[in-house]
Amino acid sequence: MAIRRVSRLQKRLLRWLVAEHRRTQGGTASSHYDLVKALDGDKSNISHSLHTLEARGWIVILRTAGGQANSIDLTPEGLKNASEI
């Protein structure tokens, strides 16, 4: 099965999430704030890319009771696909 196209920003997001996953040995989800800070990008562009990756089933965005993104974690499918990119 061919991997869907991903943007440069999505590749950067996936690389960062994989690095965090390896660093924590899959123990903790990454903070949305830390991700935006680490990539030094526009928050709205990053959020849009994260929603696209979530719709594909590659990540899970955990939200606060108010609906704000709290943390992000790779799904097993996302980890597999990110490793292939």
Side-chain angles (χ1 to χ4, degrees):
M1 182 173 170
I3 296 178
R4 295 182 188 177
R5 290 183 58 130
V6 293
S7 70
R8 285 184 292 187
L9 178 56
Q10 290 168 343
K11 286 179 185 178
R12 288 179 60 208
L13 291 167
L14 289 169
R15 275 191 228 113
W16 191 85
L17 289 168
V18 167
E20 283 296 296
H21 181 82
R22 289 181 180 149
R23 185 181 68 80
T24 64
Q25 298 176 350
T28 60
S30 302
S31 159
H32 184 259
Y33 173 78
D34 290 339
L35 178 60
V36 171
K37 187 176 171 185
L39 295 180
D40 194 32
D42 181 62
K43 183 179 176 187
S44 63
N45 287 341
I46 290 172
S47 293
H48 177 74
S49 290
L50 289 172
H51 289 293
T52 301
L53 293 172
E54 183 181 38
R56 290 181 181 176
W58 293 11
I59 64 169
V60 174
I61 301 174
L62 304 171
R63 292 176 171 77
T64 64
Q68 292 183 328
N70 187 32
S71 60
I72 300 140
D73 201 8
L74 284 165
T75 63
E77 181 182 354
L79 186 59
K80 176 183 169 275
N81 289 324
S83 298
E84 294 176 6
I85 293 176

